[in-house]
Amino acid sequence: MSSNKLKVLHIGMEDALSPSGGLGVHMDELTRKLAKDVDITLFCVGDGEEGFSESRNRRVMRIVNQNDFWMGSPTSAYVDLVTLDQFLLNAVQAFSNERFDVIHLHDSHLWRVARTLAELWDAKIVYTVHLAHTLVHDFIATDSWAYAATNEMSAAYESDAVISVSNAYRAEFANQVMLSTDRIDVIPNGVDSQFLNSIPFDIAIREKYGTPRRKLAVFVGRLVSSKGVELVTSLAAQRPDWDFVAVASIAPTIEKYARELPRRFRAAEQALDNFTWLNRLDQPTKWLLMKAADIGLVPSIHEPFGIVALEWMALETPLMTTGVGGLADFVNTSNAVVVEYDVEAWSRALTKFKRSERRIEQGLVTAQSYTWSSAADDTMKVYEKVMNHDRQFRQPRIVMATGRT
C-alpha cells in the first residue's frame, strides 16, 4: 500500500469478511472499492479468527468478541464496557506505531474507541449511521440504552462528518438527535447486480428447502424484531400451502424480547412442517436459496436502508415488503408487492400473488442503479471535505435516565 495515500481506519462490530447482516456487507463492499484510492484498514470482530490478514488490497484486523450473546440482558451495559476495553486494548497493541488520517465509524457502540483514537492520532472522524438504537427501540430504562443513546448523540455532534444510508433515515435521525439535516450526507448502499443476476436457479437447493406442491417464501435478515421476523412464523402457521425458510442470524441487540426470539423460532420449527430456521448460511448457498425462492420477504418494522431488498431485485426474485424507512427510497409498487405490517394482510397478499415479469424487470433496473462504486466515490468526497476543514470540537453529551440530554 502506498504511503502517500490517505490512511483510513474502518471500525465496526460485525465481521466484514463473513457478514451476517447489512453492516458487514456494507463495510466489505465499500472498502473493496475504496482500496484502489485509499490505504484501508478494517478493524472489526471476527468469528473465531483474530489478528491481521490481507484481503483484496485491504489490511484487516479482527478480534474475537466473546460477549455478543450477553447483549439485551440486564448486564449488557457491563458488556459494552468489556467490548470497549477489547477494542482499545487491541488498537494499542496493533496500531502503536501508526497514524491514521480518518477514522470511519460504522457502529455507535464503538464511538468511544473512535474518539479516543482520533485524539491520539489527531484524526478526523466520519460516522455512518447504519442503525440508531434510539429510533429502533422504545425507551428502555437500562444503563445499556442510556449508553447507546449517549454514544449516538455524541457521535452525531462531534464527528467531523455524518453519513446516512438513506434520505428517509437522515430525516428520522436528524429529528431524533435535533441535528440539522444539512450536516448529514446521504450515501446509499449498493449491490453487485451483475454478480447476483448471474446466479443460476439450482433445482437441488429448491428441493432441499421446499416441497413440490408448495410455493417457497424466504426471509433473510438478522433475528431481531425490527426486521419483522415474528410475522414470518405467524404466516407459516396460517399458510400450510407455502413453505417458509428464515435465514435469520442471532444478533447482539438491546431490543426488548430479542433473547426470546431464538426459542420462539426453534419452537415454530418443531411445531410446523412448513417452516425452517437457519441461524447461519454461507453466502453462496444463501444466494442460491434466494434465487430458488418464489418470493422474498422483507417485512421490516424499522429499516435504515434494506440491502437485502436490492439483492432480491438483482436476483430477479419477486419481493414482498412493508416498504418502511429507507426502503421507501427505492421500493414502490412498480418493483415490489408492498404490504403494511399485518399478518392477515400478508396472508391475503400471498393468496393473490402471481409472478409479474414487469415488476421483476423494474426491480432489476432499480438494483442496477445502486452501485458500490458510486458509494465509494461519494465517500471519497466526504473524506476530502473533512480533510480540508478543522476538526470538530468534541464534548461528551450525556443522556440521563429519562432519555433526555
Side-chain angles (χ1 to χ4, degrees), residues 103-136:
I103 298 172
H104 195 146
L105 177 66
H106 295 273
D107 196 314
S108 62
H109 273 94
L110 300 176
W111 161 248
R112 282 169 170 76
V113 176
R115 190 178 189 277
T116 301
L117 295 178
E119 292 297 323
L120 178 65
W121 298 321
D122 192 29
K124 304 295 178 62
I125 301 177
V126 174
Y127 169 42
T128 295
V129 186
H130 294 276
L131 177 71
H133 294 282
T134 49
L135 283 172
V136 70

Side-chain angles (χ1 to χ4, degrees), residues 214-231:
R214 296 171 179 164
K215 290 183 178 180
L216 177 62
V218 175
F219 167 90
V220 175
R222 292 181 300 119
L223 188 60
V224 290
S225 295
S226 58
K227 296 298 183 182
V229 293
E230 289 98 333
L231 183 142

